[in-house]
Amino acid sequence: MLPPFKNEPFTDFTQANTRAEFQAALDRVKSEVGQTYPLVIGEQRLALASTFATVNPSRPQERLAHFADGDATHADQAIAAAAEAFKTWQYVPVETRADYLFKAAAQMRQRKHEFSAVLVLEVGKSWAEADADTAEAIDFLEYYARQMLRLADSSHLLTPYDGERGTLHYIPLGVGAIIPPWNFPCAIACGMISAAIVAGNTVVFKPAEQSPLIGWKVAELFWDNGLPDGVLNFVTGPGHIVGARMVEHPQTRFIAFTGSRNVGLEINVKAAQVQPGQKWLKRAILELGGKDAVVVDETAQLDRAAQGIVSSAFGFQGQKCSAGSRAIIVKDVYDQVTEQVIALTEKLTIGAPDHSHEIYMGPVIDRESMRRIMEYIELGTQEGELLYGGHAIETPEGGYFIQPTIFGQVDPHARIAQEEIFGPVLALIKAEDYDHAIAIANDTEYGLTGSVYSQDRGRLERAAREYFVGNLYFNRKSTGAMVGAHPFGGFNMSGTDSKAGGPDYLLLFTQAKSIAEKIG
Ligand code: NAD
């Protein structure tokens, strides 16, 4: 009998021995840098002459690893290998498939700090953020394995029909393209892969260009446990070439994509175009960006609200789809909350996160991202009042550091209040009253997460009805969804509301077959 699902606890870095263990994991990962990794297609490990480097954004000259620079032909080969493996994998008993996830979870738990250390070095997460990413990956493995066991035989849900025996089976779809982003490169990659394969699909996994090393480590967990060749294929290379081909290939049955709105919209269109030889409608599971808001009214506990605003805006440098990049504050308490938000932001520590567990903010992901964020900051100086930050931080190693930046008195329709910046930039917006604040919160094309700080029960109930987001939080920050507790996914341009980590997620990776047999 399986124990019920429980979230993986977070590591307590106040303990000296835990910090020493984490430091040892960082040292170990650093001692392994510089290796070259192949494509994994079926049983083949394919080294290519052309490679690209994955680097540490705190010290970009530090190359962590080299990955094969694949192209469309490699995507084709990987899809062919996945299609071949699907012929048998689809019939592997669900208990056996679930077991691969349980084993991967157990091993990731044992090697937790190693995975988190890679996240610190490859994408610049603080220790706590990295630890949460790894814990979420473990949760996805444990949760989806249990969900698939539950779903596999759903016959008991059918209404009995006289003279017949009816059964209902959730069977897999086929070959899936798994295309995650770099910002939760362990949890999201692991979640999308594990959901797909436990449901009986085979996949081609293409990690984001900025984070292939953690992607490799996730895939390795499955290969090392003897997952049959071809069930999980690994290709690296440019998203617009390799990823694009994976999407348009006629043998691709579904696409699980998490990433930006623009790439997601392009995938949505491509997935709808039927290719010669294609026999099905492709399913596109798209989880996209956000322009999330924290609403504060005059009844709120203001110190808590200010803390929530700061963590929502600046955790992982604001590079979360759930980042609270807008704080909408009713006018009676606007000045007070603003003051507290600035005071808390002043205390945030910034630096290379491998140096200490006390670093709260690391670098942004790469040069291009830094350029884009600095452009928004420049725009912000015209659209609002710069209250804090506003500058890049020079380091001798050329890391991609940006100060946490706060703009006040921002118009709700300003570009910095409407467009996803994906960096440490917070827009403070003054609302006339609570009604106005909710109206402003809803007035974007996104609808992913939102927070409301209020002690007025009636207002919270109204937000429950009227605040149009997939994940709504009361009196807490807008980030930090937990698997099982907060099924995650957004409305409008934030995606197809796939609710990762929720009881319905695996339905997206399956199709239901109803069988009725005449008896007597
Ligand atoms: P991105 O869209 O640039 O890239 C995502 C993935 O798509 C990468 O693997 C990339 O290589 C690939 N890709 C790029 N072009 C492609 C193409 N033409 N065809 C197929 N694949 C292609 O996004 P990113 O910068 O990696 O991630 C940040 C974005 O992800 C933000 O917008 C963020 O809000 C969003 N995000 C959403 C969620 C969610 O659950 N809704 C979670 C995390 C991140």
Side-chain angles (χ1 to χ4, degrees), residues 179-183 188 206-209 239-240 243-244 257-260 263 266-267 287-290 321 420 422 448 488:
I179 309 179
W182 53 263
N183 75 324
I188 292 179
K206 191 211 71 62
E209 292 89 314
H240 66 281
F257 170 84
T258 308
S260 62
V263 175
E266 193 184 318
I267 290 176
E287 299 176 59
L288 312 180
C321 53
E420 186 183 45
F422 222 57
L448 188 49
F488 190 77

Side-chain angles (χ1 to χ4, degrees), residues 56 58 87 98 100 146-147 165 191 197 290 296 330 336-337 361 366 376 401 460-461 469 511 515:
N56 179 345
S58 297
K87 290 178 185 163
Y100 285 103
R146 284 173 173 75
Q147 288 298 325
R165 181 169 40 240
I197 67 177
V296 183
V330 300
Q336 221 176 321
V337 174
M361 282 179 65
D366 57 18
Y376 273 111
F401 296 97
L460 294 180
E461 279 166 13
V469 290
Q511 51 200 339
I515 302 176

Side-chain angles (χ1 to χ4, degrees), residues 44-263:
Q44 286 185 65
R45 300 206 154 204
L46 214 65
L48 300 185
S50 170
T51 60
F52 66 97
T54 176
V55 305
N56 179 345
S58 297
R59 298 180 292 276
Q61 77 285 8
E62 208 173 281
R63 293 166 165 236
L64 302 173
H66 302 269
F67 282 84
D69 199 11
D71 61 27
T73 62
H74 302 112
D76 287 352
Q77 290 169 30
I79 287 166
E84 187 56 33
F86 183 64
K87 290 178 185 163
T88 47
W89 179 251
Q90 62 180 314
Y91 300 122
V92 169
V94 66
E95 292 79 10
T96 311
R97 298 193 317 243
D99 235 30
Y100 285 103
L101 272 61
F102 287 129
K103 281 190 200 140
Q107 283 164 14
M108 197 186 273
R109 196 174 283 118
Q110 266 171 15
R111 293 164 54 193
K112 201 166 171 181
H113 294 336
E114 175 193 336
F115 279 80
S116 304
V118 174
L119 290 163
V120 168
L121 295 170
E122 192 173 39
V123 297
K125 293 207 169 196
S126 68
W127 293 22
E129 291 283 354
D131 182 64
D133 194 332
T134 307
E136 188 177 3
I138 296 170
D139 282 351
F140 279 137
L141 291 163
E142 293 277 357
Y143 184 81
Y144 292 146
R146 284 173 173 75
Q147 288 298 325
M148 195 60 219
L149 291 169
R150 176 184 67 82
L151 194 66
D153 186 353
S154 295
S155 306
H156 62 281
L157 299 173
L158 297 179
T159 303
Y161 189 71
D162 274 354
E164 285 187 3
R165 181 169 40 240
T167 54
L168 182 66
H169 307 270
Y170 284 90
I171 66 168
L173 296 169
V175 174
I178 306 290
I179 309 179
W182 53 263
N183 75 324
F184 277 82
C186 184
I188 292 179
C190 190
M192 297 199 301
I193 291 169
S194 56
I197 67 177
V198 78
N201 305 286
T202 56
V203 301
V204 178
F205 162 42
K206 191 211 71 62
E209 292 89 314
Q210 298 91 337
S211 56
L213 184 56
I214 191 70
W216 174 273
K217 296 232 172 225
V218 168
E220 215 178 20
L221 282 179
F222 290 97
W223 299 326
D224 289 353
N225 278 314
L227 190 75
D229 291 335
V231 175
L232 168 52
N233 303 278
F234 178 86
V235 286
T236 43
H240 66 281
I241 297 173
V242 179
R245 178 61 186 157
M246 286 159 58
V247 169
E248 72 185 6
H249 196 289
Q251 274 183 294
T252 297
R253 174 66 179 81
F254 68 97
I255 299 120
F257 170 84
T258 308
S260 62
R261 167 194 181 281
N262 289 352
V263 175

